[in-house]
Amino acid sequence: MTRAVCPGSFDPVTNGHLDIIRRASALFEELVVATGTNASKSRLFDPEERLEMLREACADLPNVSVRGFTGLIVDFCRDIDAQAIVKGLRGGNDYEYELPMAQMNAHLTGVETVFVPTDASLGYVSSTLVKEVATFGGDVSGLVPPAVHRRLQERLGRA
Ligand code: PNS
């Protein structure tokens, strides 16, 4: 069984994340999408809300499950016997950010990181920008699943 983990903050999940999840799910027998907390980012949704949105968005992918994790991603991978970590790359900045993490994770336990290039049409989409644009009333309806869009509007007092 080749099992991979796709970790992230997913605050909230975007269509960019879902493109990576969908394509990665075709590469591995099982893909576990894992929500963690990036200590350096402020968050809009709590961990349970992020899990619910992800579960709903991934419901049509039979070999994808969604779990939360705390602590190190390498420990989570070891606990569930995952051989690889999958990360999407939108461009050079993502690469600069992700490469040391991939190297550190390989150093810690030998787990491999597989980088999947983001679809060219989604390269500008990030949770951070989606939240910022939505906060000031911009239209992000095409960038996140409809259920996530509804929750964003509610959370920002625009529903
Ligand atoms: O979507 P993000 O913010 O890039 O997700 C980052 C996340 C949560 C996947 C990353 O910060 C992470 O793996 N955190 C767990 C703690 C950890 O293992 N840190 C060391 C990484 S080398």
Side-chain angles (χ1 to χ4, degrees):
M1 163 75 75
T2 52
R3 180 178 291 136
V5 171
C6 184
S9 305
F10 303 108
D11 184 44
V13 61
T14 68
N15 290 346
H17 293 130
L18 290 172
D19 171 61
I20 297 295
I21 291 168
R22 192 172 296 276
R23 287 161 55 212
S25 74
L27 298 175
F28 297 94
E29 286 175 72
E30 191 183 330
L31 183 72
V32 179
V33 180
T35 61
T37 298
N38 184 336
S40 63
K41 289 183 182 171
S42 61
R43 88 179 182 215
L44 183 61
F45 294 101
D46 68 34
E48 200 48 48
E49 290 175 302
R50 288 184 267 143
L51 282 170
E52 278 173 24
M53 287 186 275
L54 268 168
R55 289 201 173 110
E56 201 173 331
C58 297
D60 64 324
L61 298 169
N63 65 336
V64 173
S65 58
V66 177
R67 307 252 312 250
F69 77 98
T70 53
L72 292 176
I73 188 61
V74 289
D75 289 335
F76 180 72
C77 289
R78 195 158 40 195
D79 288 348
I80 67 162
D81 194 24
Q83 295 79 46
I85 293 171
V86 176
K87 288 292 192 100
L89 288 186
R90 287 166 297 197
N93 284 348
D94 279 354
Y95 181 72
E96 296 289 332
Y97 173 68
E98 295 292 347
L99 181 64
M101 290 206 288
Q103 291 168 328
M104 175 62 83
N105 289 332
H107 166 76
L108 290 171
T109 63
V111 69
E112 293 289 1
T113 296
V114 175
F115 292 129
V116 175
T118 299
D119 186 271
S121 67
L122 294 165
Y124 62 96
V125 180
S126 70
S127 299
T128 302
L129 275 184
V130 161
K131 284 183 284 189
E132 182 174 328
V133 171
T135 297
F136 294 107
D139 180 8
V140 294
S141 58
L143 308 179
V144 292
V148 173
H149 188 244
R150 275 195 300 279
R151 285 207 199 215
L152 263 174
Q153 299 298 102
E154 280 165 23
R155 182 56 44 90
L156 297 170
R158 298 186 174 278

Short mmCIF file of all heavy atoms in Angstrom, two decimals, residues 2-43:
data_model
loop_
_atom_site.label_atom_id
_atom_site.label_comp_id
_atom_site.label_asym_id
_atom_site.label_seq_id
_atom_site.Cartn_x
_atom_site.Cartn_y
_atom_site.Cartn_z
N THR A 2 0.75 2.09 -1.02
CA THR A 2 1.46 3.37 -0.99
C THR A 2 0.52 4.43 -0.43
O THR A 2 -0.51 4.73 -1.02
CB THR A 2 1.94 3.78 -2.39
OG1 THR A 2 0.84 3.73 -3.28
CG2 THR A 2 3.08 2.91 -2.87
N ARG A 3 0.89 4.91 0.73
CA ARG A 3 0.04 5.90 1.43
C ARG A 3 0.84 7.21 1.51
O ARG A 3 2.01 7.20 1.90
CB ARG A 3 -0.31 5.39 2.82
CG ARG A 3 -1.17 6.34 3.62
CD ARG A 3 -1.51 5.73 4.97
NE ARG A 3 -2.41 4.60 4.83
CZ ARG A 3 -2.29 3.44 5.48
NH1 ARG A 3 -1.28 3.26 6.30
NH2 ARG A 3 -3.15 2.48 5.31
N ALA A 4 0.18 8.30 1.13
CA ALA A 4 0.84 9.61 1.21
C ALA A 4 0.00 10.55 2.05
O ALA A 4 -1.21 10.36 2.20
CB ALA A 4 1.04 10.19 -0.18
N VAL A 5 0.67 11.56 2.58
CA VAL A 5 0.00 12.58 3.39
C VAL A 5 0.12 13.92 2.68
O VAL A 5 1.21 14.28 2.21
CB VAL A 5 0.65 12.67 4.78
CG1 VAL A 5 0.12 13.88 5.55
CG2 VAL A 5 0.41 11.40 5.58
N CYS A 6 -0.99 14.62 2.58
CA CYS A 6 -0.97 15.98 2.01
C CYS A 6 -1.29 16.94 3.16
O CYS A 6 -2.46 17.12 3.53
CB CYS A 6 -2.01 16.08 0.89
SG CYS A 6 -2.02 17.66 0.06
N PRO A 7 -0.26 17.53 3.77
CA PRO A 7 -0.50 18.38 4.95
C PRO A 7 -0.66 19.85 4.59
O PRO A 7 -0.16 20.32 3.57
CB PRO A 7 0.79 18.18 5.77
CG PRO A 7 1.85 17.97 4.74
CD PRO A 7 1.20 17.40 3.51
N GLY A 8 -1.34 20.57 5.45
CA GLY A 8 -1.48 22.01 5.25
C GLY A 8 -2.33 22.61 6.35
O GLY A 8 -2.88 21.89 7.19
N SER A 9 -2.44 23.93 6.32
CA SER A 9 -3.32 24.61 7.27
C SER A 9 -4.77 24.56 6.78
O SER A 9 -5.69 24.48 7.58
CB SER A 9 -2.91 26.07 7.42
OG SER A 9 -1.56 26.18 7.78
N PHE A 10 -4.95 24.69 5.49
CA PHE A 10 -6.29 24.63 4.88
C PHE A 10 -7.26 25.57 5.60
O PHE A 10 -8.34 25.17 6.02
CB PHE A 10 -6.84 23.19 4.87
CG PHE A 10 -5.95 22.21 4.17
CD1 PHE A 10 -5.23 21.26 4.89
CD2 PHE A 10 -5.81 22.23 2.79
CE1 PHE A 10 -4.39 20.35 4.26
CE2 PHE A 10 -4.97 21.33 2.14
CZ PHE A 10 -4.27 20.39 2.88
N ASP A 11 -6.89 26.83 5.70
CA ASP A 11 -7.68 27.82 6.45
C ASP A 11 -8.17 28.94 5.55
O ASP A 11 -7.67 30.06 5.65
CB ASP A 11 -6.83 28.38 7.60
CG ASP A 11 -7.61 29.34 8.48
OD1 ASP A 11 -8.76 29.02 8.80
OD2 ASP A 11 -7.10 30.42 8.79
N PRO A 12 -9.13 28.68 4.65
CA PRO A 12 -9.82 27.42 4.41
C PRO A 12 -9.24 26.73 3.18
O PRO A 12 -8.39 27.27 2.48
CB PRO A 12 -11.25 27.90 4.11
CG PRO A 12 -11.02 29.18 3.34
CD PRO A 12 -9.78 29.80 3.93
N VAL A 13 -9.76 25.50 2.91
CA VAL A 13 -9.38 24.79 1.68
C VAL A 13 -9.82 25.60 0.46
O VAL A 13 -10.91 26.19 0.45
CB VAL A 13 -9.99 23.36 1.66
CG1 VAL A 13 -11.51 23.37 1.70
CG2 VAL A 13 -9.48 22.57 0.45
N THR A 14 -8.95 25.66 -0.54
CA THR A 14 -9.25 26.40 -1.78
C THR A 14 -9.32 25.44 -2.96
O THR A 14 -8.93 24.26 -2.84
CB THR A 14 -8.15 27.43 -2.10
OG1 THR A 14 -6.95 26.71 -2.45
CG2 THR A 14 -7.88 28.36 -0.92
N ASN A 15 -9.75 25.97 -4.11
CA ASN A 15 -9.75 25.13 -5.32
C ASN A 15 -8.33 24.75 -5.73
O ASN A 15 -8.13 23.74 -6.40
CB ASN A 15 -10.47 25.86 -6.46
CG ASN A 15 -11.95 25.96 -6.21
OD1 ASN A 15 -12.49 25.28 -5.32
ND2 ASN A 15 -12.64 26.81 -6.96
N GLY A 16 -7.35 25.56 -5.34
CA GLY A 16 -5.95 25.21 -5.61
C GLY A 16 -5.55 23.96 -4.82
O GLY A 16 -4.95 23.03 -5.36
N HIS A 17 -5.89 23.94 -3.53
CA HIS A 17 -5.61 22.74 -2.73
C HIS A 17 -6.31 21.53 -3.34
O HIS A 17 -5.73 20.44 -3.45
CB HIS A 17 -6.17 22.88 -1.30
CG HIS A 17 -5.51 23.93 -0.45
ND1 HIS A 17 -6.21 24.88 0.24
CD2 HIS A 17 -4.20 24.14 -0.16
CE1 HIS A 17 -5.38 25.63 0.93
NE2 HIS A 17 -4.15 25.21 0.69
N LEU A 18 -7.58 21.72 -3.72
CA LEU A 18 -8.36 20.56 -4.20
C LEU A 18 -7.81 20.01 -5.50
O LEU A 18 -7.86 18.80 -5.74
CB LEU A 18 -9.83 20.95 -4.35
CG LEU A 18 -10.53 21.19 -3.01
CD1 LEU A 18 -11.93 21.75 -3.22
CD2 LEU A 18 -10.60 19.90 -2.20
N ASP A 19 -7.25 20.88 -6.33
CA ASP A 19 -6.61 20.41 -7.57
C ASP A 19 -5.42 19.51 -7.23
O ASP A 19 -5.26 18.43 -7.81
CB ASP A 19 -6.17 21.63 -8.39
CG ASP A 19 -5.30 21.22 -9.57
OD1 ASP A 19 -5.79 20.46 -10.42
OD2 ASP A 19 -4.12 21.65 -9.61
N ILE A 20 -4.62 19.94 -6.26
CA ILE A 20 -3.45 19.13 -5.85
C ILE A 20 -3.93 17.81 -5.22
O ILE A 20 -3.40 16.72 -5.52
CB ILE A 20 -2.56 19.90 -4.85
CG1 ILE A 20 -1.98 21.17 -5.49
CG2 ILE A 20 -1.45 19.01 -4.29
CD1 ILE A 20 -1.02 20.93 -6.64
N ILE A 21 -4.93 17.88 -4.35
CA ILE A 21 -5.44 16.67 -3.67
C ILE A 21 -5.97 15.68 -4.69
O ILE A 21 -5.66 14.48 -4.65
CB ILE A 21 -6.53 17.06 -2.64
CG1 ILE A 21 -5.91 17.83 -1.47
CG2 ILE A 21 -7.29 15.82 -2.16
CD1 ILE A 21 -6.92 18.51 -0.55
N ARG A 22 -6.74 16.17 -5.64
CA ARG A 22 -7.33 15.30 -6.67
C ARG A 22 -6.23 14.62 -7.50
O ARG A 22 -6.26 13.41 -7.71
CB ARG A 22 -8.22 16.16 -7.58
CG ARG A 22 -9.14 15.41 -8.51
CD ARG A 22 -10.08 16.39 -9.19
NE ARG A 22 -10.96 17.04 -8.24
CZ ARG A 22 -12.10 16.53 -7.79
NH1 ARG A 22 -12.49 15.36 -8.23
NH2 ARG A 22 -12.86 17.17 -6.93
N ARG A 23 -5.24 15.40 -7.91
CA ARG A 23 -4.19 14.82 -8.76
C ARG A 23 -3.29 13.89 -7.95
O ARG A 23 -2.88 12.84 -8.43
CB ARG A 23 -3.40 15.95 -9.43
CG ARG A 23 -4.24 16.61 -10.55
CD ARG A 23 -3.74 17.97 -10.93
NE ARG A 23 -2.35 17.97 -11.30
CZ ARG A 23 -1.51 18.99 -11.08
NH1 ARG A 23 -1.93 20.09 -10.51
NH2 ARG A 23 -0.27 18.90 -11.46
N ALA A 24 -3.01 14.24 -6.70
CA ALA A 24 -2.18 13.36 -5.85
C ALA A 24 -2.92 12.06 -5.56
O ALA A 24 -2.30 11.00 -5.43
CB ALA A 24 -1.81 14.07 -4.56
N SER A 25 -4.24 12.12 -5.46
CA SER A 25 -5.01 10.91 -5.15
C SER A 25 -4.93 9.89 -6.29
O SER A 25 -5.19 8.71 -6.09
CB SER A 25 -6.47 11.25 -4.83
OG SER A 25 -7.17 11.58 -6.00
N ALA A 26 -4.56 10.38 -7.48
CA ALA A 26 -4.39 9.47 -8.62
C ALA A 26 -3.00 8.84 -8.63
O ALA A 26 -2.75 7.89 -9.38
CB ALA A 26 -4.65 10.22 -9.92
N LEU A 27 -2.08 9.38 -7.82
CA LEU A 27 -0.70 8.88 -7.82
C LEU A 27 -0.45 7.84 -6.73
O LEU A 27 0.50 7.07 -6.82
CB LEU A 27 0.28 10.04 -7.58
CG LEU A 27 0.32 11.15 -8.62
CD1 LEU A 27 1.26 12.26 -8.17
CD2 LEU A 27 0.78 10.60 -9.97
N PHE A 28 -1.29 7.86 -5.68
CA PHE A 28 -1.08 6.97 -4.53
C PHE A 28 -2.33 6.14 -4.29
O PHE A 28 -3.44 6.57 -4.62
CB PHE A 28 -0.75 7.79 -3.28
CG PHE A 28 0.53 8.58 -3.40
CD1 PHE A 28 0.53 9.90 -3.82
CD2 PHE A 28 1.76 7.98 -3.13
CE1 PHE A 28 1.70 10.62 -3.95
CE2 PHE A 28 2.95 8.69 -3.27
CZ PHE A 28 2.93 10.01 -3.68
N GLU A 29 -2.13 4.97 -3.67
CA GLU A 29 -3.30 4.14 -3.38
C GLU A 29 -4.20 4.83 -2.35
O GLU A 29 -5.42 4.72 -2.41
CB GLU A 29 -2.86 2.78 -2.86
CG GLU A 29 -2.29 1.89 -3.95
CD GLU A 29 -1.74 0.60 -3.38
OE1 GLU A 29 -2.54 -0.25 -2.97
OE2 GLU A 29 -0.50 0.47 -3.35
N GLU A 30 -3.56 5.51 -1.39
CA GLU A 30 -4.34 6.19 -0.37
C GLU A 30 -3.71 7.54 -0.08
O GLU A 30 -2.47 7.65 0.03
CB GLU A 30 -4.35 5.34 0.91
CG GLU A 30 -5.34 5.83 1.93
CD GLU A 30 -5.27 4.99 3.21
OE1 GLU A 30 -4.94 3.79 3.15
OE2 GLU A 30 -5.54 5.57 4.27
N LEU A 31 -4.53 8.55 0.04
CA LEU A 31 -4.04 9.90 0.37
C LEU A 31 -4.75 10.39 1.62
O LEU A 31 -5.99 10.41 1.68
CB LEU A 31 -4.30 10.87 -0.80
CG LEU A 31 -3.75 12.28 -0.59
CD1 LEU A 31 -2.22 12.29 -0.72
CD2 LEU A 31 -4.34 13.25 -1.62
N VAL A 32 -3.96 10.77 2.62
CA VAL A 32 -4.52 11.32 3.85
C VAL A 32 -4.25 12.83 3.85
O VAL A 32 -3.09 13.25 3.87
CB VAL A 32 -3.89 10.66 5.09
CG1 VAL A 32 -4.47 11.26 6.37
CG2 VAL A 32 -4.09 9.15 5.06
N VAL A 33 -5.31 13.60 3.80
CA VAL A 33 -5.17 15.06 3.88
C VAL A 33 -5.14 15.42 5.36
O VAL A 33 -6.04 15.03 6.12
CB VAL A 33 -6.34 15.76 3.16
CG1 VAL A 33 -6.19 17.28 3.25
CG2 VAL A 33 -6.41 15.32 1.70
N ALA A 34 -4.08 16.10 5.78
CA ALA A 34 -3.87 16.30 7.22
C ALA A 34 -3.82 17.79 7.54
O ALA A 34 -2.97 18.52 7.03
CB ALA A 34 -2.56 15.63 7.64
N THR A 35 -4.73 18.23 8.41
CA THR A 35 -4.72 19.64 8.79
C THR A 35 -3.88 19.83 10.04
O THR A 35 -4.12 19.20 11.07
CB THR A 35 -6.14 20.18 9.08
OG1 THR A 35 -6.69 19.44 10.15
CG2 THR A 35 -7.03 20.10 7.89
N GLY A 36 -2.91 20.69 9.91
CA GLY A 36 -2.07 21.05 11.04
C GLY A 36 -2.21 22.54 11.29
O GLY A 36 -3.05 23.21 10.68
N THR A 37 -1.39 23.05 12.18
CA THR A 37 -1.43 24.48 12.47
C THR A 37 -0.06 25.06 12.20
O THR A 37 0.95 24.57 12.71
CB THR A 37 -1.85 24.72 13.93
OG1 THR A 37 -3.18 24.20 14.09
CG2 THR A 37 -1.86 26.20 14.25
N ASN A 38 -0.05 26.08 11.33
CA ASN A 38 1.17 26.81 11.06
C ASN A 38 1.25 27.94 12.08
O ASN A 38 0.48 28.90 12.02
CB ASN A 38 1.14 27.35 9.62
CG ASN A 38 2.43 28.02 9.25
OD1 ASN A 38 3.17 28.48 10.11
ND2 ASN A 38 2.71 28.08 7.96
N ALA A 39 2.17 27.81 13.02
CA ALA A 39 2.24 28.74 14.14
C ALA A 39 2.47 30.18 13.69
O ALA A 39 2.13 31.13 14.41
CB ALA A 39 3.36 28.31 15.09
N SER A 40 3.02 30.37 12.48
CA SER A 40 3.33 31.73 12.05
C SER A 40 2.18 32.40 11.28
O SER A 40 2.31 33.51 10.82
CB SER A 40 4.60 31.72 11.18
OG SER A 40 4.36 30.97 10.03
N LYS A 41 1.04 31.70 11.14
CA LYS A 41 -0.09 32.28 10.41
C LYS A 41 -1.27 32.49 11.35
O LYS A 41 -1.54 31.64 12.20
CB LYS A 41 -0.53 31.34 9.28
CG LYS A 41 0.43 31.25 8.11
CD LYS A 41 -0.16 30.35 7.03
CE LYS A 41 0.79 30.17 5.86
NZ LYS A 41 0.32 29.13 4.91
N SER A 42 -1.98 33.64 11.18
CA SER A 42 -3.20 33.82 11.97
C SER A 42 -4.31 33.02 11.31
O SER A 42 -4.31 32.83 10.09
CB SER A 42 -3.57 35.30 12.03
OG SER A 42 -3.81 35.78 10.73
N ARG A 43 -5.25 32.54 12.11
CA ARG A 43 -6.24 31.65 11.49
C ARG A 43 -7.65 32.20 11.63
O ARG A 43 -7.98 32.91 12.59
CB ARG A 43 -6.09 30.25 12.07
CG ARG A 43 -6.86 30.03 13.29
CD ARG A 43 -6.74 28.67 13.88
NE ARG A 43 -7.64 28.72 15.04
CZ ARG A 43 -7.43 28.10 16.17
NH1 ARG A 43 -6.38 27.34 16.33
NH2 ARG A 43 -8.30 28.19 17.15
#
